[in-house]
Amino acid sequence: MTGTSRVVVAIDSFKGSIGAADAARSIAAGWHAVDPEAAVELRPMADGGEGTLEAFAAAVPGARRMPVEVIGPAGTAVAASWLLLPAGHGGAAGTVGVVELASTSGIELLGARRRGLDADTSGFGQAIAAALDAGVDRLVLGIGSSSSTDGGIGMLRALGARVTDATGHEVAPGVRGLSAIADVDLSALRPLPAGGAVVLSDVSNPLLGERGAAAVFGPQKGLEPAGVADAEAGLARWSASVPDGASLAATPGAGAAGGTGFGLLAWGARLTPGAREVAELIGLAEAVAEAELVITGEGSFDGQSAAGKVPAFVAELAARAGAPAALVAGRIAADADTAAFAASVSLTERAGSAAASLAEPARWLHEAGAMLAQRQRRDGAASSNAP
């Protein structure tokens, strides 16, 4: 290879192991250990879940963290933040506020505990309100990693909605309050910013039914079978109390984050596949257009990863730009299709076991970066020596 290598690292988080920004930095450090002169551009990716703020903060010059204290899923104060992006990113004429449910109402905030009946999305709504108070022109809302199945009621309350029982009192937070809903008043709900609100999610589940928020995701949030049934009935009651609720409940993505997708639709927000929107806001297409290699990946690459996940999206973007893509994943399942990638690295295989890979993700990501740099160097040397 001649000249300076140009590499873009556009990798998702390795959930429960390492965030996207740190993963990208580890790969870049490994590459530079082999090729110190390379221009390695970091564009950490996200799909709306944990790590969304980190991805934007690492990729967008001038992004500012804005501290905010909210009520978390345990009902106690949580020190969180939202991200202020300067004007001009993703085609936005004004400033953009990025708010992440994971860091305000997310399941990771509970540790090993689960509060399936009581956790709600109040903190997420409080952070959104803080961004609105700051005068942002547009909102980008990541709704992965939710701890609750409240249909977004806590969030909407923080934005001015009233959800009351037969006595006129506010219903209890979380699933416990759903069955008591008698009246919903959205008249004092804060308006969307001028540029609207876009919701990042890779979940297409509706609000109700066998693919709905309660049935599919409720057990992950600590609901026993009886609690799942209560949540399903309560979410049906909630959707019937909202204007055009039946149509909104059937919208793909309404069941995301315990029904928070539904609550955001009721507010007037727009749901969109997370990877595509994040890529636009961080200028990924422009970076990829100049790259000789694009490195992407996620924690577990399997047969479902081709359906809107970050690696498949990035590989498609690279192919359109005429650049090869390489895959780095914590594990690559037997049913995974890696045909779109010029090279692939499984950290589990390199480390010898999943446990070893999870214990030291930065180390093995560093090694993966070095391996790919060595491969690129060999390929370049072979090309230059060809007759």
Side-chain angles (χ1 to χ4, degrees):
M1 184 191 312
T2 58
T4 301
S5 301
R6 297 188 64 85
V7 181
V8 171
V9 183
I11 198 162
D12 200 354
S13 65
F14 286 44
K15 290 181 174 57
S17 176
I18 189 170
D22 285 337
R25 283 190 282 266
S26 295
I27 289 173
W31 189 287
H32 280 138
V34 174
D35 184 5
E37 302 303 316
V40 182
E41 194 163 351
L42 305 188
R43 288 290 189 274
M45 285 287 289
D47 57 16
E50 182 184 3
T52 297
L53 285 191
E54 287 289 344
F56 279 114
V60 177
R64 285 196 294 148
R65 283 189 175 274
M66 310 295 287
V68 61
E69 185 174 271
V70 303
I71 301 301
T76 56
V78 168
S81 63
W82 59 277
L83 199 68
L84 178 64
L85 306 186
H89 283 278
T95 57
V96 178
V98 183
V99 188
E100 181 187 82
L101 186 149
S103 61
T104 53
S105 301
I107 198 166
E108 296 297 327
L109 297 174
L110 294 174
R113 298 172 55 210
R114 294 293 181 266
R115 301 185 76 235
L117 295 174
D118 299 297
D120 80 339
T121 51
S122 293
F124 183 47
Q126 291 166 346
I128 293 172
L132 292 174
D133 289 343
V136 299
D137 299 284
R138 184 183 182 217
L139 285 168
V140 174
L141 307 173
I143 61 170
S145 307
S146 171
S147 62
S148 68
T149 313
D150 76 337
I153 289 177
M155 171 200 67
L156 291 178
R157 279 174 164 173
L159 295 172
R162 294 196 74 234
V163 183
T164 52
D165 60 20
T167 68
H169 293 94
E170 290 279 356
V171 299
V175 170
R176 291 189 193 278
L178 295 175
S179 63
I181 295 173
D183 184 66
V184 175
D185 182 1
L186 304 181
S187 61
L189 197 57
R190 296 185 63 163
L192 294 168
V198 63
V199 183
L200 310 181
S201 175
D202 65 352
V203 170
S204 60
N205 303 68
L207 181 67
L208 305 172
E210 62 181 15
R211 293 186 58 250
V216 176
F217 305 113
Q220 301 170 10
K221 305 176 197 307
L223 291 179
E224 301 292 338
V228 169
D230 289 344
E232 176 73 13
L235 290 172
R237 188 180 185 95
W238 164 228
S239 64
S241 305
V242 173
D244 200 26
S247 175
L248 296 180
T251 302
T260 304
F262 172 83
L264 287 164
L265 286 168
W267 189 34
R270 175 174 62 89
L271 305 188
T272 189
R276 189 172 303 276
E277 189 72 20
V278 171
E280 182 180 341
L281 280 162
I282 67 174
L284 182 59
E286 292 82 358
V288 167
E290 303 295 326
E292 294 177 30
L293 178 70
V294 181
I295 302 173
T296 187
E298 62 184 354
S300 178
F301 188 81
D302 55 29
Q304 301 299 313
S305 295
K309 300 289 188 179
V310 165
F313 173 79
V314 174
E316 179 185 339
L317 198 64
R320 290 203 299 266
L327 172 72
V328 177
R331 63 179 284 271
I332 300 176
D335 66 343
D337 182 0
T338 60
F341 302 98
S344 59
V345 181
S346 164
L347 303 191
T348 295
E349 289 185 7
R350 296 302 307 168
S353 69
S357 169
L358 289 168
E360 297 181 285
R363 171 190 172 184
W364 298 108
L365 286 161
H366 186 284
E367 180 169 314
M371 286 179 59
L372 290 171
Q374 290 164 352
R375 181 183 186 277
Q376 185 88 335
R377 177 171 284 179
R378 287 195 304 269
D379 290 351
S383 176
S384 63
N385 292 330

